[in-house]
Amino acid sequence: MAGRRGLKADYSVATVSVTLVLLLLGVVGYILINAYSSTSAVRSELRFSVMLADTVTQEQRSLIERRMGMHPAVATWRYISADEAARDFQTYIGTDFVDFLGENPLPASYELTLNPGYADAEELAALETECASWSGVEEVVYQRKIVEAVMRNLNRLNYILLGLGGFLLVVTVMLISNTLRLAVAARRQSIATMRLVGATPGFIRRPFVLRSFTQGVVAGVLASGLLYLFVDGLSEVMPEVKLVCDRETFALLFSAMILAGVLICTTFTALAVNRYVRQTD
């Protein structure tokens, strides 16, 4: 009875340890998902203005619109007439500058939003060159220096988070490996006894792997539940921060945590058992 209670205690401790490590891995994964989502949101908010010449014809406009509609970098576009541009600018400055100048100096234009994959500095420069070459286009305007600074900082942040995630993944695997190795080591005498009575390595390994499979599932489910509670509490404490909370993302993340728990537990348990089986040969 004492031995059985000891095995249950070792199993429980190992399960709790794996749960906490998977929770840490899940938190890092959730941070990476939100970082990617924020980066995509910033990229999609970039505005790219194509200014039309005063002499642009309807035929030229139609050709420009077809090209924008077919361009992979363009997510949406909107035509802004010269009168609409003047009204927007008057609202912004609070003064009727058209009446003061006697004319409207603002040209008609197209305002483009870009697909996130085409919002890098090089892609923007290529798009600027291409749009400027279209007949009827006078000028292409966007905040080049601001865009380059934002993209540079976002890329740097993503690299830092990916490096942190990779480092924590390695630490996670090492911690789980040591935890499971210690749990198997506690039963090394049982392994030696089974080997002495003629049990095959597969027969000895099977109950350990099955138990570690269950352990991985339980740890993954517990870690997923804790992560959900953490995100829910964080959303209530900081409602102004827009976190990714859709069901598809959570389902994907939780499935990955459970799968990671199962794969890591079964793999390292099997390796640890094989080690002690070989020692008894």
Side-chain angles (χ1 to χ4, degrees):
M1 291 294 294
R4 184 171 298 179
R5 285 197 297 268
L7 290 177
K8 289 183 178 180
D10 292 337
Y11 179 78
S12 300
V13 170
T15 303
V16 171
S17 300
V18 174
T19 299
L20 294 177
V21 175
L22 287 177
L23 175 61
L24 175 62
L25 193 61
V27 169
V28 174
Y30 187 70
I31 292 174
L32 289 174
I33 290 173
N34 278 274
Y36 177 79
S37 176
S38 299
T39 301
S40 299
V42 171
R43 291 172 184 265
S44 64
E45 289 298 322
L46 295 177
R47 294 294 183 267
F48 198 88
S49 297
V50 178
M51 304 296 183
L52 302 179
D54 294 336
T55 57
V56 65
T57 63
Q58 183 61 42
E59 183 180 357
Q60 290 173 327
R61 275 189 52 195
S62 299
L63 181 59
I64 291 172
E65 291 176 2
R66 283 200 301 271
R67 286 174 170 172
M68 289 189 300
M70 297 172 59
H71 203 289
V74 179
T76 62
W77 57 268
R78 181 172 71 93
Y79 175 71
I80 302 176
S81 66
D83 292 338
E84 184 180 355
R87 289 194 299 270
D88 292 342
F89 193 62
Q90 287 174 2
T91 303
Y92 177 74
I93 64 175
T95 303
D96 189 354
F97 70 97
V98 175
D99 184 62
F100 177 77
L101 296 176
E103 61 177 354
N104 179 12
L106 300 179
S109 65
Y110 289 100
E111 184 180 74
L112 282 59
T113 60
L114 307 178
N115 289 313
Y118 292 86
D120 292 328
E122 295 180 359
E123 297 287 350
L124 288 173
L127 181 61
E128 177 186 12
T129 302
E130 182 178 353
C131 292
S133 67
W134 294 344
S135 178
V137 174
E138 178 72 22
E139 184 183 9
V140 177
V141 177
Y142 70 99
Q143 300 294 331
R144 183 181 295 103
K145 292 185 177 180
I146 294 178
V147 169
E148 290 177 353
V150 169
M151 291 300 102
R152 185 168 55 251
N153 290 331
L154 286 176
N155 290 333
R156 185 178 301 147
L157 176 62
N158 287 337
Y159 289 141
I160 292 174
L161 290 175
L162 285 175
L164 177 62
F167 172 75
L168 290 178
L169 178 61
V170 173
V171 173
T172 296
V173 171
M174 292 177 62
L175 289 174
I176 294 179
S177 172
N178 291 332
T179 299
L180 296 174
R181 190 179 293 118
L182 291 174
V184 173
R187 300 189 61 187
R188 62 185 180 275
Q189 292 181 350
S190 298
I191 295 174
T193 301
M194 286 189 290
R195 196 74 179 105
L196 288 174
V197 298
T200 63
F203 181 83
I204 297 173
R205 186 169 50 244
R206 189 177 301 113
F208 287 93
V209 173
L210 291 176
R211 171 165 284 192
S212 66
F213 178 88
T214 304
Q215 186 179 43
V217 172
V218 171
V221 171
L222 291 176
S224 300
L226 292 174
L227 178 60
Y228 180 81
L229 293 176
F230 171 76
V231 174
D232 186 60
L234 192 63
S235 299
E236 292 185 1
V237 173
M238 297 188 298
E240 68 279 0
V241 179
K242 295 183 179 180
L243 299 174
V244 177
C245 297
D246 59 281
R247 293 182 178 178
E248 291 78 10
T249 299
F250 277 129
L252 179 63
L253 185 58
F254 294 166
S255 299
M257 292 171 65
I258 295 172
L259 180 61
V262 169
L263 290 177
I264 294 174
C265 287
T266 54
T267 300
F268 285 104
T269 297
L271 292 175
V273 173
N274 287 339
R275 175 187 176 188
Y276 289 106
V277 168
R278 286 195 298 267
Q279 288 179 354
T280 58
D281 289 338

